[in-house]
């Protein structure tokens, strides 16, 4: 496949996805990157090291998909279960040749300086502690409010000074104090300035291209984070991806389109990271307010993916999975004339897999019942009748694709 993806863009998109988990505590990873990077500059770290540190900061909470866990991490620095997400992030990053470079710093970013393993290595030890410093500073900022970070400077600096020597490397604290003396440092942490700071970073060490099959592995990583949000959605994205490829093959899609539609299936629910756990796991019918929150997720998926050069088509196929041929879907109200075959495939795969899986309000549906429900969606003008017919002609094969463990056979994953 000729399509290639810029790794820097992919990392920034992944950072955007992780931002969603905070819901209201937005841009946490990005502010941690700003705080740690400015401190590291004062310590004299070279540009190459700064790039690696920024990447580690942006991805440090990779192991968090639960909004409840995120809230506790940002408000309880001594939470006894805080290391669980560190281990999860480490495990998720390990299989990737370049991303694995930051995996050990991510693993130990909640470990006090004096408790770091002796064999960690100087680079990983410093990076993990700078991430911890940034994390603690931003946690205090979030508790005090981001409307005017500069106003909160004295109390935060005093608290960080108190952590020197045990939790934080004294030299890192000294560098932070020097950086914190600048008003501009605090003003730049206001939400409207954060994205500009990140956009201006060249991140030259991460500005490399990866081929599309390799990006499929990154998409697999994203799907793991999303599906871990609730045990009700465990492996949902994987099932949608496998069924989308299965239906695509039966529809005669080209090999390139099959690879891309599989990635669209893997990433179609990335925007769901912004939906609070209590809505995802609610056993009763959602209220109008709660459903309006749920409706955001496919729009957020689109916003994250469309900014990655080369993923423009994938962004649409993934984000349109709740659109309907009759124009009554959401969030864009696209009608049949503006829904590609690939987008329709992802929509059918999403409904099929969801029906085959347990939800808070019902159990998994038998395979023969699924066929009947899909037929009702066709009658209502929601799903494509030809694609539903393809799925129903091979119900057992479709069910296996939607529910069996990840095969990893496709070019995208």
């Amino acid at each position: 496949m000729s399509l290639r993806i810029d790794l820097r863009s992919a990392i920034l998109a992944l950072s955007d996805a992780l931002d969603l988990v905070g819901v209201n505590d937005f841009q946490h990873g990005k502010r941690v990157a700003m705080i740690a990077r400015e401190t590291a500059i004062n310590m004299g770290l070279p540009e190459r090291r700064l790039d690696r540190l920024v990447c580690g900061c942006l991805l440090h909470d990779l192991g968090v998909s639960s909004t409840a866990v995120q809230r506790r991490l940002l408000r309880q620095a001594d939470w006894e279960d805080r290391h669980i997400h560190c281990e999860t992030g480490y495990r998720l990053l390990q299989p990737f040749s370049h991303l694995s470079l930051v995996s050990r710093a991510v693993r130990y970013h909640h470990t006090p300086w004096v408790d770091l393993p002796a064999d960690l290595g100087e680079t990983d030890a410093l990076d993990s502690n700078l991430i911890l410093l940034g994390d603690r500073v931003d946690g205090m900022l979030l508790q005090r409010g981001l409307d005017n970070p500069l106003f909160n400077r004295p109390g935060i600096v005093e608290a960080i000074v108190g952590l020197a020597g045990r939790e934080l490397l004294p030299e890192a604290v000294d560098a932070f104090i020097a950086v914190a003396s600048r008003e501009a440092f605090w003003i730049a942490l206001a939400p409207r300035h954060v994205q500009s700071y990140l956009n201006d970073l060249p991140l030259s060490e991460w500005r490399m291209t990866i081929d599309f099959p390799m990006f499929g592995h990154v998409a697999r990583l994203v799907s793991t984070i999303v599906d871990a949000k609730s045990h009700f959605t465990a492996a949902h994205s994987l099932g949608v991806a496998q069924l989308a490829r299965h239906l695509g093959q039966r529809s005669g899609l080209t090999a390139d389109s099959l690879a891309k539609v599989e990635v669209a299936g893997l990433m179609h629910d990335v925007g769901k990271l912004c939906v609070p756990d209590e809505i995802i796991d609610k056993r009763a019918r959602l209220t109008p307010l709660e459903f309006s929150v749920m409706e955001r997720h496919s729009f957020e998926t689109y916003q994250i993916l469309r900014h990655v050069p080369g993923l423009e088509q994938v962004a649409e196929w993934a984000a349109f999975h709740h659109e309907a041929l009759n124009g009554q879907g959401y969030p864009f109200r696209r009608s049949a004339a503006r829904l590609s075959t690939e987008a329709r495939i992802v929509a059918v795969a999403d409904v099929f897999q969801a029906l085959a899986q347990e939800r808070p309000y019902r159990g998994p549906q038998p395979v023969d019942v699924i066929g009947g429900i899909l037929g009702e969606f066709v009658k209502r003008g929601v799903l494509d009748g030809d694609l539903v017919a393809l799925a129903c002609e091979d119900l057992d094969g479709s069910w296996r694709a939607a529910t069996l463990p990840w095969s990893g056979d496709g070019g995208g994953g």
Side-chain angles (χ1 to χ4, degrees):
M1 189 172 188
S2 58
L3 180 61
R4 297 176 71 80
I5 303 294
D6 174 47
L7 182 59
R8 175 186 182 275
S9 298
I11 290 170
L12 292 176
L14 184 51
S15 171
D16 289 341
L18 296 175
D19 275 347
L20 298 179
V21 181
V23 183
N24 296 318
D25 300 332
F26 192 60
Q27 296 179 320
H28 169 63
K30 293 181 174 67
R31 285 191 300 275
V32 170
M34 293 173 66
I35 296 163
R37 183 177 185 272
E38 291 299 313
T39 303
I41 289 173
N42 188 275
M43 296 178 74
L45 267 65
E47 194 70 31
R48 181 174 183 177
R49 286 279 288 102
L50 295 176
D51 286 355
R52 178 167 163 173
L53 173 64
V54 166
C55 181
C57 291
L58 292 176
L59 302 182
H60 79 281
D61 276 345
L62 191 73
V64 182
S65 56
S66 163
T67 53
V69 169
Q70 181 78 332
R71 292 185 199 114
R72 295 197 70 170
L73 285 170
L74 292 177
R75 288 162 175 76
Q76 297 177 241
D78 58 349
W79 183 35
E80 60 181 11
D81 290 334
R82 66 190 182 279
H83 293 289
I84 294 175
H85 80 286
C86 303
E87 291 295 327
T88 301
Y90 169 75
R91 177 175 51 81
L92 290 172
L93 289 169
Q94 272 291 290
F96 300 93
S97 57
H98 215 64
L99 296 182
S100 65
L101 293 174
V102 303
S103 63
R104 286 169 66 80
V106 167
R107 186 181 196 180
Y108 293 107
H109 78 269
H110 274 294
T111 302
W113 175 256
V114 296
D115 294 331
L116 290 172
D119 62 348
L120 183 56
E122 181 180 348
T123 295
D124 287 326
L126 180 56
D127 284 2
S128 68
N129 204 239
L130 287 170
I131 295 172
L132 175 57
L133 186 153
D135 193 72
R136 293 301 299 270
V137 171
D138 194 53
M140 292 182 233
L141 271 176
L142 287 167
Q143 292 180 41
R144 291 163 170 78
L146 285 168
D147 293 339
N148 187 356
L150 179 60
F151 180 74
N152 297 312
R153 171 173 58 178
I156 293 176
V157 171
E158 181 181 356
I160 292 298
V161 169
L163 300 176
R166 172 167 175 77
E167 188 159 346
L168 298 175
L169 173 69
E171 291 85 348
V173 173
D174 290 343
F176 171 74
I177 293 171
V179 170
S181 68
R182 305 195 308 260
E183 289 80 4
F185 168 77
W186 296 95
I187 296 169
L189 292 171
R192 65 183 179 276
H193 300 305
V194 172
Q195 193 62 54
S196 297
Y197 182 96
L198 266 293
N199 289 342
D200 289 341
L201 296 183
L203 295 180
S204 303
E205 290 298 310
W206 300 86
R207 193 176 287 279
M208 63 182 69
T209 55
I210 56 177
D211 59 26
F212 196 80
M214 180 56 69
F215 179 77
H217 294 297
V218 177
R220 171 73 170 84
L221 167 66
V222 173
S223 75
T224 301
I225 300 167
V226 175
D227 288 353
K229 188 169 181 65
S230 168
H231 77 273
F232 291 109
T233 58
H236 169 66
S237 299
L238 297 182
V240 171
Q242 291 186 148
L243 181 53
R245 170 173 277 274
H246 177 72
L247 294 177
Q249 289 172 329
R250 291 176 60 81
S251 302
L253 295 186
T254 65
D256 283 4
S257 290
L258 285 175
K260 290 196 288 186
V261 81
E262 182 177 274
V263 166
L266 286 169
M267 304 190 74
H268 77 288
D269 266 351
V270 63
K272 200 168 279 186
L273 290 172
C274 75
V275 182
D277 301 352
E278 53 269 25
I279 293 179
I280 294 287
D281 290 335
K282 186 175 179 179
R283 294 183 178 275
R285 181 183 293 273
L286 298 182
T287 67
L289 175 59
E290 290 167 338
F291 188 69
S292 72
V293 173
M294 181 68 80
E295 285 182 310
R296 299 176 191 170
H297 78 275
S298 46
F299 180 81
E300 297 290 356
T301 292
Y302 181 67
Q303 292 300 321
I304 290 169
L305 297 182
R306 75 184 184 92
H307 292 297
V308 180
L311 289 189
E312 294 83 2
Q313 279 187 322
V314 171
E316 293 194 353
W317 302 349
F320 294 168
H321 65 279
H322 284 297
E323 300 295 329
L325 302 187
N326 60 17
Q328 297 303 304
Y330 69 86
F332 299 102
R333 298 282 172 164
R334 290 264 178 144
S335 57
R338 302 182 65 198
L339 292 171
S340 66
T341 297
E342 292 85 354
R344 298 179 189 204
I345 285 174
V346 176
V348 171
D350 178 58
V351 174
F352 190 113
Q353 205 288 331
L355 290 170
Q357 196 171 39
E358 181 184 6
R359 288 292 180 265
Y361 46 86
R362 60 156 173 80
Q365 301 300 295
V367 66
D368 55 332
V369 173
I370 291 175
I373 296 175
L374 292 176
E376 290 299 318
F377 276 102
V378 173
K379 291 178 183 177
R380 287 161 43 197
V382 176
L383 297 178
D384 185 293
D386 292 337
L387 292 172
V388 168
L390 283 179
C392 291
E393 286 169 7
D394 181 25
L395 266 178
D396 288 340
S398 297
W399 186 88
R400 287 194 298 272
T403 60
L404 291 184
W406 177 249
S407 65
D409 293 335

